[in-house]
């Protein structure tokens, strides 16, 4: 494929500093305005609204009966399909075609996939969940119900894209509520800088459902009329659905394979407000910091910024906070930099919003046209920005897009058409573990003692005992059980590390692996919505049903202001989370991060969904548990006097299958090493063909219980084995579906 002549707004890589420049080579969008990026963009510039009366379900009784619904969606090839998956597949397919991923795959390039999601297949499963909330109904329907719940996990969208657009060299599913799609771009960029892939397809997808319509209504966050971002009369948001994906690759890769570079992902910054699970911190200090950091990372000054695609939800608190943040960041340029929001046209598409809006931002650079804020008629004096009221021409070479999620999980990405834009090269960091804690039905252990939790099988109780003294009752009053479990282990993995608090100012990240979210509570919530009507939906319960709520609650409780999100990869969610944290520290994305996993006892998972993964007669009963490890760089540990429990000698993701691990770059065992895996058979099958095959295998499932975050407990225990001197090197391996993970500690 020949590059040809560059179109307006497209770059031909010039060969300078190309390995540190992240190019955008393809985009795709599905929205209520159209089934492609171009159709959506045309509708945006024309000022059309995709918000209309809901037809997907009967919205009678909801605070708002409006939403930005995508037309023509609803095919269902099997029970693992969902509207979210269909829209995600459409947008991912468009992005893949526009960047010629088929050609990249044929050339032997390593292609990755990162998907941000929040609702998953909730629309397809919420009526069934409401039924399963009743134990009597659950008993009579469980033999068939598990098949109908296959689309529920947010990772099901990733699986469909992997199946239809892939296969991919590695995949990852993350959730940070409304910033999920933007965070997927940051993860993808890190993969490229770490050189673990050559090209990445990254974005987000979310479908409408009754749960979010009722939940946001319960929070009084929905406007019964078409919404009006930044308007003095704004009353809330309109929900929407859709998907957005971008193809990212190093500019040098794009040049070699002859694809055009649309623009450069020049900078990005992630952080948490540590303030409240739903209400934004009013000063906007975190968004201001992130915009400044993203521009600095891009090597660009504030004077270069020509446009901001605002989060702009039209909620009273969010718009005022965002305006305050922009004022703090832009200073004297506040009245010069154009700002607009697309949510009055596309609705708030939740996990897809950051990715869709990133695509729109790239199109601003391409076409030199600023999109309007539809519905803004009377500007709120509290939002004194340079608002774009109608589409207008403007030469823009640098533009930013902001995304803010529940729990104050915020992200800013910066795109540039300027050839000089370049993410500064970062030295790779050696990663060490400086804290660990684990909680199982056998008790609580931290630091060097974590390995004691694997000394014997769990007997008797399958539930964890939470000591009330472990948490401050006043600060923990909003935390559900999942969030309490996460907070306890994260606090001990952080605070239990000597001198850690003195060594850090709070800019510490938090990542949590969790496969199912709060499934039983979601079922109870929907049961009440169906039985009593959406007007009686609980505003206190809804925030806890968002998949990323445990990490949001914990970051607020602990006052953490670094990157925060959850990860989902079924039985290997804990391992996926550890690897994500390792990569973020190794790439200098964050100095320190607490990584862990959590799974609570669930009647629905135990009695219905467990048969998807195991024969109840052959494996231990499910238990609950949580664990966390604190990762930092060896440099930071040495400079700040942090005792090192273990070093991460290697960490890798691989596609599961016979001989897959044998082809990876895995640190070799040293005398007395041990393999930790859920079962001996699993461990033996994964390490076959490697030097680790001759090492003893410790099966951990009996000691941790059969649940999806057992890997997080196993990793914390492995830290204890190394720190206590019992084994010089420990390999932890895990698989889930087509994904595998291997971590060597020493």
């Amino acid at each position: 494929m020949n590059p040809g002549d560059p179109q307006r707004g497209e770059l031909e890589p010039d060969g300078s500093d190309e390995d540190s420049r992240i190019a955008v080579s393809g985009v795709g969008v599905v929205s209520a305005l159209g089934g492609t990026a171009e159709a959506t963009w045309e509708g945006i510039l024309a000022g059309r609204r995709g918000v209309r009366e809901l037809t997907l379900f009967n919205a009678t009784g909801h605070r708002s009966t409006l939403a930005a619904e995508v037309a023509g969606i609803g095919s269902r090839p099997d029970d693992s399909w969902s509207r979210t998956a269909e829209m995600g597949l459409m947008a991912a397919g468009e992005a893949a075609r526009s960047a010629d991923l088929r050609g990249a795959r044929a050339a032997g390039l390593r292609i990755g996939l990162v998907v941000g999601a929040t609702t998953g297949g909730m629309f397809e499963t919420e009526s069934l969940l409401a039924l399963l909330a009743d134990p009597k109904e659950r008993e009579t329907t469980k033999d068939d119900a598990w098949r109908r719940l296959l689309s529920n996990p947010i990772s099901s969208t990733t699986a469909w894209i992997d199946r239809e657009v892939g296969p991919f060299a590695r995949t990852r599913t993350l959730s940070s509520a409304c910033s999920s799609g933007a965070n997927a771009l940051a993860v993808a960029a890190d993969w490229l800088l770490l050189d673990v892939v050559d090209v990445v397809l990254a974005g987000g997808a979310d479908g409408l459902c009754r749960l979010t319509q009722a939940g946001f209504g319960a929070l009084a966050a929905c406007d019964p009329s078409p919404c009006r971002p930044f308007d003095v009369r704004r009353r809330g948001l309109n929900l929407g659905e859709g998907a957005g994906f971008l193809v990212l690759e190093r500019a040098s890769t794009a040049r070699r394979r002859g694809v055009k570079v649309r623009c450069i992902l020049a900078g990005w910054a992630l952080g948490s407000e540590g303030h409240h699970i739903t209400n934004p911190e009013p000063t906007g200090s975190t968004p201001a910091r992130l915009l400044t950091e993203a521009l600095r990372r891009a090597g660009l000054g504030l004077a270069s910024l020509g446009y901001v695609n605002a989060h702009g939800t039209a909620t009273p608190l969010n718009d005022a906070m965002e305006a305050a943040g922009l004022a703090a960041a832009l200073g004297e340029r506040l009245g010069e930099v154009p700002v607009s929001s697309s949510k009055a046209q596309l609705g708030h598409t939740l996990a897809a919003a950051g990715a869709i809006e990133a695509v729109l931002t790239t199109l601003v650079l391409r076409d030199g046209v600023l999109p309007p804020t539809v519905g803004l008629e009377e500007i709120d004096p509290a939002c004194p920005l340079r608002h774009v009221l109608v589409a207008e021409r403007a030469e823009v070479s640098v533009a930013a897009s902001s995304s803010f999620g529940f729990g104050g999980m915020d992200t800013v990405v910066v795109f540039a058409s300027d050839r000089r834009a370049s993410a500064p090269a970062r030295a790779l960091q050696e990663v060490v573990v400086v804290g660990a804690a684990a909680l199982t039905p056998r008790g609580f252990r931290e630091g060097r003692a974590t390995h004691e939790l694997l000394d014997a099988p769990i007997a008797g109780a399958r539930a964890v005992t939470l000591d009330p003294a472990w948490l401050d009752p006043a600060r923990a009053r909003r935390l559900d059980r999942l969030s309490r479990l996460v907070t306890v282990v994260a606090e001990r993995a952080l605070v239990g590390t000597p001198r850690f608090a003195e060594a850090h100012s709070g800019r510490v990240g938090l990542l949590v692996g969790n496969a199912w979210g709060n499934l039983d509570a979601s079922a109870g919530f929907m049961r009440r919505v169906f039985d009593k009507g959406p007007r009686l939906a609980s505003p206190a319960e809804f925030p806890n049903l968002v998949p990323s709520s445990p990490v949001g609650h914990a970051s607020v409780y602990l006052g953490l202001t670094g990157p925060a999100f959850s990860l989902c990869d079924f039985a290997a969610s804990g391992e996926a989370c550890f690897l994500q944290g390792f990569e973020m520290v190794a790439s200098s994305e964050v100095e320190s991060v607490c990584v862990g996993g959590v799974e609570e006892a669930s009647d629905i998972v135990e009695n219905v969904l467990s048969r998807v993964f195991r024969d109840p007669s052959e494996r231990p009963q499910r238990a609950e548990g949580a664990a966390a490890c604190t990762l930092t760089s060896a440099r930071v540990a040495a400079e700040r006097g942090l005792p090192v429990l273990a070093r991460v000698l290697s960490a890798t993701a691989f596609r599961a299958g016979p001989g897959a691990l044998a082809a990876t770059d895995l640190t070799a065992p040293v005398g007395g090493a041990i393999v930790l895996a859920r079962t001996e058979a699993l461990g033996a099958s994964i390490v076959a063909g490697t030097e680790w095959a001759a090492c003893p295998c410790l099966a951990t499932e009996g000691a941790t219980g059969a649940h999806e975050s057992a890997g997080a407990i196993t990793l914390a225990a492995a830290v204890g084995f190394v720190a206590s001197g019992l084994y010089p090197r420990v390999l932890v391996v895990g698989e889930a579906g087509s994904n595998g993970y291997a971590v060597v500690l020493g």
Side-chain angles (χ1 to χ4, degrees):
M1 185 182 198
N2 294 322
D5 296 326
Q7 297 177 13
R8 186 188 186 286
E10 293 182 320
L11 299 178
E12 287 301 324
D14 58 10
S16 62
D17 200 23
E18 288 182 336
D19 284 333
S20 65
R21 299 169 71 202
I22 307 300
V24 178
S25 57
V27 298
V29 170
V30 172
S31 75
L33 290 179
T36 66
E38 294 298 339
T40 298
W41 183 233
E42 180 184 349
I44 288 288
L45 295 184
R48 293 198 297 269
R49 283 185 184 263
V51 176
R52 57 185 66 91
E53 288 289 327
L54 264 167
T55 64
L56 183 61
F57 54 83
N58 183 358
T60 302
H62 286 263
R63 175 181 172 85
S64 175
T65 60
L66 300 178
E69 183 179 333
V70 174
I73 300 294
S75 61
R76 192 167 173 80
D78 64 37
D79 286 315
S80 63
W81 189 257
S82 67
R83 291 178 64 84
T84 299
E86 185 169 356
M87 291 183 291
L89 186 55
M90 290 170 63
E94 181 191 4
R97 289 188 299 274
S98 67
D100 188 27
L101 285 196
R102 180 176 296 179
R105 187 170 288 109
L109 296 182
R110 303 162 298 168
I111 305 174
L113 172 66
V114 189
V115 180
T118 294
T119 63
M122 183 57 70
F123 170 71
E124 287 74 18
T125 60
E126 55 195 356
S127 60
L128 177 61
L129 286 174
L131 190 67
L132 294 174
D134 185 332
K136 293 181 180 178
E137 299 280 7
R138 184 165 60 242
E139 186 61 32
T140 59
T141 61
K142 66 181 181 181
D143 290 339
D144 178 61
W146 66 269
R147 294 183 182 88
R148 296 168 56 194
L149 287 175
L150 291 177
S151 68
N152 183 271
I154 62 173
S155 53
S156 61
T157 299
T158 308
W160 269 102
I161 297 174
D162 185 26
R163 186 183 318 174
E164 299 296 325
V165 183
F168 294 91
R170 53 160 52 191
T171 71
R172 194 153 296 166
T173 306
L174 62 86
S175 181
S176 56
C178 311
S179 59
S180 302
N183 278 337
L185 302 180
V187 170
D190 272 349
W191 284 4
L192 293 167
L193 295 179
L194 289 168
D195 194 28
V196 295
V197 293
D198 303 303
V199 184
V200 193
L201 176 62
D206 256 345
L208 288 165
C209 60
R210 299 171 185 85
L211 185 145
T212 52
Q213 194 78 9
F216 279 95
L219 294 175
C222 287
D223 192 333
S225 303
C227 70
R228 295 177 275 201
F230 300 112
D231 194 285
V232 70
R233 297 163 298 170
R234 67 188 183 278
R235 293 191 294 168
L237 55 82
N238 302 136
L239 286 172
E241 62 181 355
F245 280 85
L246 296 85
V247 175
L248 305 179
E249 55 189 298
R250 288 180 291 276
S252 56
T253 304
R255 176 177 55 82
R256 285 195 302 270
R257 69 189 194 92
V259 297
K260 292 180 178 178
V261 174
R262 295 167 176 263
C263 62
I264 301 296
L265 174 58
W268 56 93
L270 294 67
S272 298
E273 297 173 13
H275 174 68
H276 191 274
I277 194 64
T278 56
N279 295 338
E281 192 280 317
T283 69
S285 60
T286 297
R289 167 172 62 88
L290 297 182
L291 177 57
T292 303
E293 288 180 0
L295 287 167
R296 184 185 301 120
R297 179 172 197 160
L300 298 166
L302 181 63
S304 66
L305 183 63
Y307 169 69
V308 174
N309 185 297
H311 190 60
T313 60
T315 57
L317 295 180
N318 183 89
D319 286 5
M321 176 277 292
E322 186 165 14
L326 287 171
L330 298 178
E332 294 180 355
R333 293 208 65 212
L334 181 63
E336 302 173 9
V337 180
V339 177
S340 66
S341 167
S342 60
K343 287 189 172 63
Q345 298 175 269
L346 302 178
H348 193 337
T349 56
L350 305 181
I356 293 174
E357 290 162 16
V359 173
L360 299 182
T361 305
T362 71
L363 297 176
V364 168
L365 298 178
R366 186 194 71 177
D367 291 349
V369 181
L370 303 177
T373 300
V374 171
L376 175 54
E377 297 174 350
E378 185 178 349
I379 297 172
D380 186 346
C383 305
L385 308 174
R386 199 301 216 176
H387 297 283
V388 181
L389 301 181
V390 294
E392 60 183 80
R393 289 278 177 185
E395 291 297 329
V396 177
S397 60
V398 178
S401 180
S402 301
S403 300
F404 312 138
F406 266 9
M409 292 178 271
D410 302 340
T411 306
V412 174
V413 292
V414 171
F415 296 94
S417 59
D418 190 337
R419 292 174 186 269
R420 294 168 297 173
S422 174
R426 293 185 172 190
L428 295 183
Q429 302 292 321
E430 179 188 358
V431 182
V432 298
V433 185
V434 295
L439 184 60
T440 77
R442 289 194 63 212
F444 176 81
R445 298 289 189 279
E446 61 181 305
R448 299 175 185 272
T450 50
H451 69 89
E452 296 174 4
L453 293 173
L454 303 185
D455 286 348
I458 293 175
R462 303 290 170 174
V464 164
T465 300
L466 276 171
D467 188 333
W470 288 343
L471 294 171
D472 176 6
R475 288 190 295 145
R477 62 188 179 86
R478 290 188 177 92
L479 275 61
D480 62 346
R481 185 168 181 81
L482 267 177
S483 302
R484 288 171 183 267
L485 291 169
V486 168
T487 303
V488 165
V489 294
E491 183 172 41
R492 295 314 305 163
L494 291 166
V495 180
T497 302
R499 295 188 294 280
F500 189 87
E502 293 79 6
H504 288 79
S505 61
R507 297 276 290 281
V508 178
L510 179 63
L511 309 175
V512 177
N514 178 248
W516 300 108
N518 206 334
L519 202 58
D520 289 17
S522 297
F525 182 89
M526 289 312 304
R527 183 67 179 236
R528 287 186 290 278
V529 167
F530 279 115
D531 288 351
K532 299 181 180 180
R535 289 284 185 178
L536 295 181
S538 169
E541 291 180 7
F542 173 65
N544 295 331
L545 309 183
V546 179
S548 56
S549 65
V551 69
H553 274 302
S555 66
V556 171
Y557 182 96
L558 298 172
L560 303 180
T561 57
F565 49 87
S566 63
L567 295 103
C568 173
D569 198 356
F570 290 114
S573 295
E575 293 93 326
C577 189
F578 190 98
L579 186 63
Q580 178 64 50
F582 165 81
E583 291 167 349
M584 293 179 76
V585 174
S587 68
S588 300
E589 183 67 49
V590 64
E591 279 193 346
S592 301
V593 61
C594 185
V595 298
V598 63
E599 211 70 47
E600 68 174 342
S602 166
D603 288 338
I604 293 175
V605 176
E606 174 66 28
N607 295 309
V608 180
L609 280 165
S610 59
R611 66 192 62 206
V612 176
F613 307 105
R614 65 182 172 90
D615 181 342
S617 66
E618 295 178 357
R619 296 177 68 187
Q621 184 180 355
R622 282 180 60 84
E624 63 178 3
C629 296
T630 299
L631 309 181
T632 193
S633 68
R635 175 187 58 81
V636 168
E639 289 176 353
R640 303 177 185 178
L642 302 177
V644 173
L645 297 176
R647 297 180 182 273
V648 185
L649 302 182
S650 63
T652 186
F654 59 92
R655 299 319 299 262
L661 190 57
T664 64
D665 182 16
L666 199 63
T667 302
V670 173
I674 187 170
V675 175
L676 298 179
R678 288 178 182 78
T679 66
E680 289 186 20
L682 175 63
S685 66
I686 295 178
V687 302
T690 73
E691 295 180 88
W692 291 86
C695 298
C697 179
L698 174 63
T700 61
E701 194 169 68
T704 61
H707 61 85
E708 289 69 31
S709 285
I713 298 171
T714 301
L715 282 159
V719 171
F721 276 123
V722 172
S724 61
L726 292 176
Y727 298 100
R729 289 187 183 176
V730 179
L731 169 65
V732 179
V733 292
E735 286 186 352
S738 58
N739 289 335
Y741 304 92
V743 176
V744 180
L745 301 175

